Amino acid sequence: MSGWKLHPTKRRITFTDKKGIGELKLLGKWDIHQYPVELIKRVRIVRRANGCYVQFCVKVDNQQDAPPSTSEIGIDVGLEYFYSDSSGNHEENPRFLRKAEKNIKRVQRNIYKKKKGSSGRRKARGVYARKHLKVTRQRNEHAKRIARNLTLANAKVVLEDLNISGMVKNHKLAKSITDASWYNFRQWLEYFGKKYVREIIAVPPHFTSIECSNCGAKVQKSLSTRTHSCNKCGYLEQRDVNAAKVILSRVNARVGQIQSNASGDVLSTSIGRKTCKSKERQ
Ligand SMILES: [Zn+2]
């Protein structure tokens, strides 16, 4: 074995390398119980704001059968909703996170009220870090749950290929974007896409918010206009739902010219590529 030995009960682990860590007691939920020791490929210790964790890297066959589905869905991530889809549904933004964020800000200000180098300041820093960690985890859990549901229910999920780093530079949008944990959400979509063998496709984002999903005309509107009202064909739709429909139509229009991406990281930068499949081909 490579530097560690798991106790037969799997409640203790001993590190046998020369760093002097020795035996550790494992607390919390032990998902590790489900896996035979032979499948554990790597073990490492990770430090988080609320303590140390032993991380097990387990080799498992990740693909799973999902219920058969032929449904295709386009999704538009916005500021008003976590996302809106081409069938007209809106997934609400998790407001509890915004509340928690206010609390975090207060705790953060607390740090600077304490004297530099004092133990009070150190403690305040710890409180801040733990609260921050909690919100990060809540966000992640939320994004994961939504992505899983969406992937299970649809054979094809089409989304916009947004340049998040470019958008976050705009400070007004920044908070809402991180709030909606869009990037994290997309990563989970790609993860579940692989797991359930579903297609997750990113299409170029240009004009999706102004194009008419019914006739293709370009209908200019400001950010505050919540309804798409086409002056050419008369089509009326909620703004984000119209965008989601346009997003879905983009992929159908592109069938036949989708290329695989044979190298590099396909997350968040690929344009109109089958991100899941191309990853497998690497
Ligand atoms: Zn129209």
Side-chain angles (χ1 to χ4, degrees), residues 212 214-217 230 232-235:
C212 174
N214 191 48
C215 74
C230 183
K232 200 175 162 203
C233 73
Y235 183 69

Side-chain angles (χ1 to χ4, degrees), residues 9-39:
T9 60
K10 292 186 182 170
R11 289 181 189 207
R12 283 167 189 281
I13 187 167
T14 309
F15 286 91
T16 54
D17 51 12
K18 292 184 181 71
K19 285 182 188 146
I21 296 162
E23 190 182 71
L24 296 177
K25 195 174 172 187
L26 299 170
L27 306 168
K29 283 183 247 158
W30 318 299
D31 299 340
I32 199 69
H33 278 261
Q34 301 167 17
Y35 304 104
V37 180
E38 307 83 73
L39 290 184

Side-chain angles (χ1 to χ4, degrees), residues 67-73 152-156 198-199 248:
S69 168
T70 51
S71 94
E72 302 179 352
I73 203 157
L152 272 176
N154 297 283
K156 197 186 267 183
R198 307 295 213 201
E199 282 183 282
L248 179 60

Side-chain angles (χ1 to χ4, degrees), residues 168-212:
V168 173
K169 278 186 194 128
N170 178 336
H171 290 288
K172 267 190 192 166
L173 284 175
K175 198 169 141 40
S176 304
I177 288 168
T178 43
D179 234 5
S181 51
W182 159 237
Y183 182 70
N184 183 233
F185 178 54
R186 176 166 172 175
Q187 285 182 315
W188 279 121
L189 277 174
E190 298 194 0
Y191 169 85
F192 286 114
K194 250 188 164 176
K195 181 166 181 170
Y196 299 128
V197 199
R198 307 295 213 201
E199 282 183 282
I200 310 294
I201 304 171
V203 297
H206 318 292
F207 308 117
T208 50
S209 58
I210 60 169
E211 204 173 293
C212 174

